[in-house]
Amino acid sequence: MRVEDSKSKSSHHPQQYFWFATIFSFSITDHLTFLINRNESDANDHRYSKGDIVPFYANKIGPYFNSRETYAYYELPFCSQDVVKEKKLNLGEMLNGDRLISTPYKLEFLVDKDFEVSCNKTLSKTDVSMFRRAIEKNYFMQLHYDDLPIWAFIGMRNDGNFNGRIKTEYSLYKHFDFEVFYNKDQVIKVILQMANSFADVTEDKEVDVGFTYSVKWTMTQQSFDRRMEIYIDSTILPHNMPIHHHSITFSSVTLLILIVSLLTFYLLVLREDISKNSVDVEEDQVINNQEEIGWKNVHGDVFRFPQHKSLFSAALGAGTQLLVVIVAILGLGVLGVFQPYMRGVFWNALIIVYAVTSLVSGYTSVSFYCQLEGTNWIKNLLVAGGLYFGPLLLTFTFLDNVAIYYGSTTALPLRAIVMLSLLWIFIASPLHLLGGIIGKTRVSEFQAPCKTAKIPREVPKLRWYRGVLPQMALAGILPFSVIYIQLYYIFTSVWGYSVYTLYGIMSIVFILLLIMTALVSVALTYFQLAVEDHQWWWRSFLCGGSTGFYSVRFKHGNKAVQAVCQGDRPLSNSDFGKAKVVYESLRYEMIRVAPPQLLSLPRPLETLISAPIKVLGHFGVIQEILEALKLIKEKKIISIR
């Protein structure tokens, strides 16, 4: 009675504390989000009058075929101002590796310019060598004009027969043609065309270079709200939507078949047995039921608590937190929060949502641990807090040190590290502790549908295919089939230059994934109990998470595709399944840069064009390749072999 009285006394106040803590944490989050995002743009309204200075920044440079390898813009000896100003960045921009700095280019609103001199510079032998190595690695530079991203290659490499010798020439672009489209008082689109004006950097010798640029303003009827459509990858264009629709349809049909199969099995086989065995079990009844076989023989052991229950509860709490984070991010994406031109907003939202949901992790872990009759809930709370964050911190520290060693912009500055530390100390950790306290005070007794036998039944020796690893391999197949199409576009966005905006479709796929994972886990758990193996807790957890191993294998399993896209080898006739990547790469180049910019296309486009016609023809891109070839040949952009 003493325990029941204490529970009844504390059953009201912790709930009030829970809601108060939740509202308080979200209030802090709102203020923190405002402080983090306050440096979003120099001109928040994006409206200008004639002659106004439009914000123009250089961001970073790096090899085209590794979007994660980026360096500061002035790592190469470009023209610079006497005083270089750095734009103050928010946390998300720093996490994304952005480093915005001023440039000598002045593109005033509605002011045309013709061969304006940026600077006259004598490149030393070291400068020439740096530019040549960058051109050889297909370095590109990223600029931002009125928050519109601009990509351009810094030079061009020509391999050809010169005076009877095979020779490679390296040319540095020294004139930029900017064409800016506007609608009334707003900038809509900017195109950077690298004109046929080069500086030869083939040999290590001093070179005098005059860097110039031209600006042309053109009126357009396109609205400001739709100005980012050109930068969004072709994954959301109408001709590609059937791929997503077919994927969802296939997954839904598979899920329906699985549901019908399980319901049929339940109605015909299990319902009567479950109702008969859902009673309390005594020791003598267990002995008398030896004639029972299968799962009915272990119903007195099925709710025996798992081994390492503290670790199990911590894993459940960390997983619940990640589930809430994913749901929150997808919800924000569906609401249109993550616009492509809002730099760093996604990272800001991800960091803050993860910090706030630490409350969920602490509550779920401690609450379940106490239900399993655990006593050291403080230790469990610490395990839950470090189970995911610990490996994440170690990985981040290693990658950040590597980035610092190579001088990459992906290395976080001290200001970003301090901000992350403050978030963890003053937001995540207190909320995690608060969740654990609420979980401890609000704990309820574990309600099993039947009693657990005092003597655990020995698990019989099982065949190899009923082991943990084979079951995990089997469990991940169907859930992975639901998401593998979306994984392709997500990895393209993470490791490439495309922008993922299909949050509605991703939400539907995620719901299908959750249902499929739950059903597969239930089915495999039944098969495990049918062979009298009652140690199902960890098995069901691992089988449900086995889809992650397929996702990792999928990410690392496209070596042939990477070789094709990087120009290491032409596409072979056996690469039918991977030719889609070639198609998407070509479409992305044609959509992203617009026809006048085709002179900036990288040399591996020749490899894409030389792919077998029957492979590319399967995807209906022959006409597009011919059009690209025509434009390239007319402008003499690159040599076609």
Side-chain angles (χ1 to χ4, degrees), residues 66 122 147 157 183 215 221 245 268 288 320 352 360 384 459 530 554 563 585 608:
N66 186 1
T122 299
D147 285 337
R157 171 181 170 177
N183 187 349
V215 184
Q221 298 300 321
H245 294 161
L268 297 180
N288 294 331
T320 305
I352 294 174
V360 177
V459 178
F554 178 78
S585 300
L608 300 181

Side-chain angles (χ1 to χ4, degrees), residues 70 255 322 353 510 552:
T70 56
L255 181 62
L322 294 179
V353 169
F510 183 68
V552 173

Side-chain angles (χ1 to χ4, degrees), residues 247 250-251 254-255 258 471-487 509-521 524 543-548 550-551:
S247 173
F250 170 78
S251 302
T254 305
L255 181 62
L258 184 60
Q471 292 289 303
M472 289 176 62
L474 179 64
I477 295 177
L478 284 180
F480 179 75
S481 68
V482 176
I483 62 172
Y484 81 96
I485 293 293
Q486 298 305 315
L487 279 180
V509 170
F510 183 68
I511 293 173
L512 294 176
L513 172 66
L514 293 180
I515 299 174
M516 185 75 75
T517 302
L519 294 177
V520 170
S521 298
L524 290 179
C543 288
S546 62
T547 308
Y550 282 90
S551 302

Side-chain angles (χ1 to χ4, degrees), residues 183-406:
N183 187 349
K184 297 179 181 179
D185 57 351
Q186 293 179 311
V187 177
I188 304 301
K189 182 173 65 173
V190 57
I191 293 176
L192 173 56
Q193 179 176 341
M194 315 304 289
N196 293 321
S197 179
F198 312 107
D200 188 8
V201 292
T202 305
E203 300 178 0
D204 288 334
K205 62 180 181 180
E206 291 187 353
V207 179
D208 294 328
V209 182
F211 291 96
T212 58
Y213 66 97
S214 300
V215 184
K216 178 184 177 182
W217 288 84
T218 305
M219 182 181 293
T220 181
Q221 298 300 321
Q222 186 175 1
S223 64
F224 179 83
D225 296 336
R226 303 181 60 186
R227 70 173 188 163
M228 294 306 299
E229 290 182 356
I230 188 175
Y231 300 98
I232 300 176
D233 190 29
S234 60
T235 54
I236 68 167
L237 295 181
H239 79 280
N240 260 345
M241 290 305 294
I243 296 177
H244 302 282
H245 294 161
H246 293 331
S247 173
I248 293 176
T249 302
F250 170 78
S251 302
S252 301
V253 172
T254 305
L255 181 62
L256 181 61
I257 294 174
L258 184 60
I259 291 175
V260 171
S261 301
L262 291 178
L263 285 177
T264 303
F265 186 77
Y266 173 78
L267 294 175
L268 297 180
V269 179
L270 296 180
R271 185 174 61 176
E272 183 178 351
D273 292 336
I274 290 176
S275 60
K276 183 176 64 176
N277 289 277
S278 294
V279 294
D280 292 345
V281 181
E282 301 296 340
E283 286 295 313
D284 54 350
Q285 290 178 300
V286 174
I287 297 175
N288 294 331
N289 287 338
Q290 294 296 327
E291 67 276 4
E292 299 285 358
I293 61 173
W295 68 270
K296 292 173 284 186
N297 204 21
V298 296
H299 69 279
D301 297 272
V302 70
F303 290 106
R304 191 177 304 280
F305 294 155
Q307 296 179 341
H308 312 292
K309 54 188 176 183
S310 179
L311 180 61
F312 185 83
S313 302
L316 183 65
T320 305
Q321 179 186 7
L322 294 179
L323 176 63
V324 176
V325 169
I326 294 174
V327 172
I329 292 298
L330 290 177
L332 292 174
V334 171
L335 294 176
V337 174
F338 306 132
Q339 296 296 328
Y341 57 86
M342 297 174 67
R343 292 185 306 272
V345 173
F346 178 83
W347 284 107
N348 288 336
L350 183 62
I351 294 296
I352 294 174
V353 169
Y354 179 79
V356 172
T357 53
S358 297
L359 181 75
V360 177
S361 174
Y363 175 81
T364 305
S365 177
V366 173
S367 175
F368 193 74
Y369 175 71
C370 292
Q371 286 188 16
L372 298 181
E373 300 178 359
T375 56
N376 195 349
W377 68 275
I378 295 293
K379 178 182 176 181
N380 173 255
L381 190 67
L382 295 176
V383 173
L387 189 62
Y388 178 78
F389 182 76
L392 181 66
L393 180 61
L394 292 176
T395 304
F396 161 77
T397 303
F398 173 75
L399 294 179
D400 197 59
N401 288 328
V402 171
I404 292 173
Y405 177 80
Y406 286 101

Side-chain angles (χ1 to χ4, degrees), residues 416-431:
I417 295 177
V418 170
M419 295 176 70
L420 289 174
S421 301
L422 292 177
L423 273 172
W424 183 73
I425 294 173
F426 294 106
I427 301 295
S429 296
L431 289 177

